[in-house]
Amino acid sequence: VQLVESGGGSVQAGGSLRLSCTASGYTASAKCMGWFRQVVGTEREWVSSIVTPNSTSYADSVKGRFIISEDSAKATLYLQMNSLKPEDTGMYYCAAYWAVYCAGDSRPTVYDYWGQGTQVTVST
């Protein structure tokens, strides 16, 4: 499974960005996906995950500002980030694991596949 993120960039505080993660190289449909972020020198932090059926979960730090969504037909995961803050700065990673039911797991160790990351920088 290959995951490729895009959509990162530099934005001023209060602005918005939309990240995308396209998955390829698999045939099974029962995959669970989420977004993580990391600042150099710190641990990878869970941001949001898809929860089946038709639900989502978010870290408290982004709740009400970020929206995760998935387009299964395009095999693409999105993260709409609004009202960005400087503390949202970091490398954002898309991740996936196989399961019939997606519980919105926030533990990085559960995820088997990771993208290369896309940098998000929010300035004051």
Side-chain angles (χ1 to χ4, degrees):
V1 177
Q2 292 81 45
L3 303 175
V4 179
E5 303 97 335
S6 62
S10 298
V11 64
Q12 288 191 325
S16 298
L17 285 173
R18 188 195 196 201
L19 306 184
S20 299
C21 171
T22 301
S24 62
Y26 64 96
T27 55
S29 60
K31 67 182 185 305
C32 301
M33 300 188 73
W35 288 98
F36 290 77
R37 66 187 180 188
Q38 188 172 23
V39 176
V40 174
T42 67
E43 293 186 354
R44 195 161 292 188
E45 176 190 17
W46 172 71
V47 174
S48 180
S49 295
I50 296 290
V51 180
T52 54
N54 302 317
S55 187
T56 55
S57 63
Y58 300 93
D60 288 343
S61 59
V62 306
K63 199 172 295 182
R65 300 187 296 119
F66 290 11
I67 302 171
I68 189 172
S69 61
E70 185 176 30
D71 186 333
S72 298
K74 296 182 179 179
T76 300
L77 183 73
Y78 301 99
L79 185 68
Q80 177 67 44
M81 305 187 295
N82 302 318
S83 302
L84 282 162
K85 304 176 181 180
E87 51 263 44
D88 295 318
T89 294
M91 187 71 78
Y92 281 70
Y93 297 91
C94 170
Y97 65 96
W98 299 118
V100 174
Y101 173 71
C102 301
D105 209 300
S106 63
R107 298 169 294 171
T109 53
V110 170
Y111 294 78
D112 297 315
Y113 305 98
W114 294 83
Q116 83 290 347
T118 185
Q119 177 67 35
V120 171
T121 303
V122 184
S123 59
T124 56

